[in-house]
Structures are given as C-alpha cells and as structure tokens.
Amino acid sequence: MMMLFNMFRRGSAPVARERLQLLLAHERAARGQPELLSVLREEILAVISRHVPFEPDRVQIRMDRGKSVSTLEVDIEIPNAAGMPLAKAS
Amino acid sequence: MAQVLVVTSGKGGVGKTTSTAALGAALAQNGAKVVVVDFDVGLRNLDLVLGAERRVVFDLVNVINGVAKLPQALIRDKRLENLYLLPASQTRDKDALTEAGVAKVIDELRGKFDWIVCDSPAGIERGATLAMRHADAAIIVTNPEVSSVRDSDRIIGLLDAKTVRAERGDRVQKHLLITRYHAGRASRGEMLTIDDVLEILSTPLLGIIPESDEVLRASNIGSPVTLANALSAPARAYFDAAARLRGENVPLAVPGESRGLFTKLFGRKAA
C-alpha cells in the first residue's frame, strides 16, 4: 500500500527511504562484529602474498552491497616476472 | 523518583540543545524540579540557549575534579525558579570527564531533582557515551533526512549496549523526537514522512517539532521556545512531548496529515 503510494508520489523522499532501509539492514547486521571487509582484505592478501610478491598499493578492493547479493571485487596487479614461480610455492 | 534523560542524536545540528532547553523548561513550567546538564565539554552551548552564559562560574568538570561543590556550579534560571543548569566546561581536554566522576554527579543530582536532562554532544565518542551512560530514558532527536536517520540508528544501537541499564540486562526507554519537520515538503515527497522515519527506526514517537522561525528567535534571545512564545507551534509540540514524558496520554497529530495517524502511532511499540 505504502509502496503504491510512493510510486505515485513525486519527489526524492521515496529514494531516501529505500536507500536507508537497505543501508541500515547491512549496518545492523554488522554491528558488534569486526568489519567484514577489512577482515576479508587482510586474509585474502595474506594468502596471495605467500605465493606471489605484489605491491600493496596496486590492490583495489570494491564492495557493492545489494538487496539480496553483495559483491566483493579484489583487483591485484601482479608483476609478470613474479607471476611465474607460482608452481614452486609450498 | 528522579528520571535521568539523555537527549542524543549522533549527528550534530539536529536540535539536541534546543530540545534539551525546551523540554527541560516545559517540565519545569509544569512544576517539576529540573536540571539540564551540558555534556558537550569544550563546546558548551546550553548556557547560551538558556540565556545564562554570563552567569557561569563553575562547571561540570570543576565538580568532577573537586574544584567546586555541586550546588556552587548549579545555575538557577531567572524566569523559572525550579529550572537549573549545570554547564559544561570550555576546556579542550577530552579526558576531563571521567566515568566515576559522572556517576557521582548524576547520583547526587538524583537526590535533588525530579528530572535530570543530559544534553549529549554530537558523535559517538566519550562525551556522548558518558551522557547516555546513566540514562533511564533517551530522547533521540532526528531530522527527516538520510544522514540524521542513519546516525540515530547507530545511537539506538549504543543505547542498547553501552548504558548502565543495558549492561544490567535492563532497557533504556527510547523516544523519538522528530525536529525540523516540514509537512508540505513531506506531502510533496521532498522529505521523508513521519511514517518513513518511524518504520525505519522502529522507535516510539515522542513528538514532532515543526520547522519554525520561532525556534531561531528563541535561541537568539536566550530563551527556551516554550518560554519565549508558549503559544507557537514548536512550543506547543514541546509541551505535548513533555506531557508524554510524564506518562500522559496526549494525542499526537502529524502536521498536515489527516489520516488516522493517531491510532497508528500509538499502536506502535518499540522493536
């Protein structure tokens, strides 16, 4: 009912409402827990650095929190010379 | 029995100090003995909004440090003889407020007053957590605007975790006070509506303070709006909110909305 009303209502308030509902659902779920993003970043980087050297500055991490699915995008630039010894790593 | 209230919000500039002054005065105008306590150490303003800025001698930090006794630091309002102010200090030392010191002051105030209204600083740092620490009830001041609503949600989380009551497994009673509400803009879809905010924060509504020039005028002259112009729309909204704090059942009308919101709002319970 409210949604229907919103659809016919002009203005930006319905957008504000939707954005807040989505954001707060995530923030409430994360409350009291360590920041998921930083934990994931640290662990992923630790695993990769065991096998290949890379510049920490050349790492890009993006997160997009959606309603039902969130994506974590980790983009690591690995120098070509370092890319080879992968097989050797223990 | 004394009631300790914290007026809090997370976000700055939403009307905490204005609301502390107006609600404190409204409760005192009804005959209760009230003290308003400024917790914004370093950036005090409650003295200014109450028109007592030239009468500050000692402050909260002086009382905590033992430089002054509590009665020496309390400033009695010139218009309302049962309204008192305990000002914050202007010191820049962030650690001036201690947990034990605040506990002792609040305890002493409980013996002297019916209502202790703590004006929280913005943010979620020490000053804000100490202001809410001993609260029996909290007034969360929110503007119908995204950043304010988000910060209010954060503060509600802190009230449920960091207060003495929460740590005892008890609850701090939470009340939402929506300020700077503009009915016309909400009905045109330009501003979040009361229903939007209530649904998102699922906290019972204490009152709606309409956007009004009277609020600015009151702070210009150093008077709570309930004293400066008792018949103005914001003053009446604050009087009603104060009555609800006392437990009176005052109907709540949303400005500019005619649907059966009264039953809707009062049917709501905290999550």
Side-chain angles (χ1 to χ4, degrees):
Chain A
M1 175 60 200
M2 205 58 205
M3 291 295 285
L4 247 172
F5 180 59
N6 282 348
M7 284 172 67
F8 291 108
R9 187 165 72 168
R10 285 185 305 148
S12 52
V15 181
R17 176 195 156 94
E18 299 252 320
R19 288 176 58 221
L20 269 172
Q21 280 173 329
L22 181 60
L23 173 70
L24 293 183
H26 282 284
E27 288 192 344
R28 286 168 188 162
R31 211 170 271 167
Q33 294 171 7
E35 180 60 46
L36 177 67
L37 193 58
S38 62
V39 172
L40 284 177
R41 185 185 56 212
E42 258 171 54
E43 294 191 4
I44 290 170
L45 294 190
V47 167
I48 293 168
S49 67
R50 279 212 299 272
H51 302 285
V52 283
F54 62 86
E55 282 281 324
D57 297 350
R58 316 294 289 191
V59 178
Q60 291 212 25
I61 300 181
R62 278 177 294 270
M63 183 140 186
D64 190 4
R65 290 184 280 210
K67 213 170 242 167
S68 50
V69 178
S70 298
T71 59
L72 177 70
E73 204 177 310
V74 184
D75 193 340
I76 306 172
E77 211 174 278
I78 299 169
N80 277 338
M84 297 312 289
L86 258 177
K88 246 171 63 184
S90 53
Chain B
M1 223 187 72
Q3 276 275 312
V4 179
L5 291 177
V6 60
V7 179
T8 185
S9 69
K11 191 175 185 303
V14 296
K16 282 182 297 298
T17 301
T18 303
S19 296
T20 302
L23 287 172
L27 289 166
Q29 282 166 278
N30 190 249
K33 200 171 173 198
V34 181
V35 60
V36 290
V37 185
D38 193 344
F39 272 83
D40 204 345
V41 171
L43 289 170
R44 75 164 171 236
N45 273 319
L46 191 53
D47 55 335
L48 194 55
V49 169
L50 282 169
E53 70 277 10
R54 291 187 300 174
R55 298 165 61 209
V56 176
V57 183
F58 295 115
D59 55 56
L60 176 59
V61 171
N62 293 148
V63 177
I64 286 175
N65 294 340
V67 173
K69 296 257 182 261
L70 180 61
Q72 296 176 303
L74 289 172
I75 301 169
R76 184 182 223 160
D77 190 86
K78 281 193 165 160
R79 300 145 298 206
L80 284 169
E81 61 169 18
N82 47 343
L83 176 64
Y84 289 78
L85 163 70
L86 180 54
S89 65
Q90 285 290 56
T91 170
R92 291 168 65 189
D93 182 5
K94 277 196 295 185
D95 299 323
L97 288 184
T98 62
E99 163 108 39
V102 170
K104 194 163 167 283
V105 170
I106 296 286
D107 204 46
E108 206 177 332
L109 290 172
R110 276 186 194 271
K112 294 177 189 287
F113 293 94
D114 301 317
W115 296 91
I116 298 144
V117 189
C118 304
D119 184 19
S120 173
I124 51 171
E125 301 300 321
R126 190 186 181 81
T129 51
L130 280 176
M132 69 169 66
R133 185 88 188 122
H134 301 276
D136 299 309
I139 296 167
I140 300 127
V141 182
T142 306
N143 292 166
E145 178 272 326
V146 285
S147 56
S148 175
V149 174
R150 178 199 210 172
D151 292 357
S152 292
D153 192 72
R154 191 82 192 278
I155 283 291
I156 289 167
L158 287 180
L159 287 165
D160 288 334
K162 302 271 183 187
T163 52
V164 170
R165 270 177 176 262
E167 285 170 7
R168 284 201 311 240
D170 212 342
R171 292 180 71 91
V172 171
Q173 206 185 348
K174 284 163 289 185
H175 305 280
L176 197 66
L177 185 68
I178 299 180
T179 55
R180 310 202 67 165
Y181 183 70
H182 195 299
R185 299 179 72 180
S187 71
R188 288 193 297 273
E190 297 164 7
M191 180 182 258
L192 289 167
T193 65
I194 300 297
D195 264 3
D196 288 340
V197 178
L198 289 179
E199 193 180 327
I200 291 165
L201 294 178
S202 47
T203 298
L205 184 61
L206 180 71
I208 304 160
I209 313 301
E211 173 81 66
S212 165
D213 292 344
E214 288 298 324
V215 174
L216 179 59
R217 200 184 78 85
S219 80
N220 284 345
I221 62 172
S223 169
V225 71
T226 53
L227 276 172
N229 185 354
L231 297 174
S232 64
R236 280 184 281 126
Y238 278 119
F239 280 125
D240 284 353
R244 290 182 198 107
L245 281 174
R246 291 193 297 267
E248 292 170 30
N249 195 350
V250 182
L252 206 163
V254 177
E257 288 187 37
S258 54
R259 290 180 294 140
L261 269 153
F262 161 50
T263 40
K264 222 170 152 186
L265 298 172
F266 273 83
R268 240 173 250 277
K269 284 273 176 281

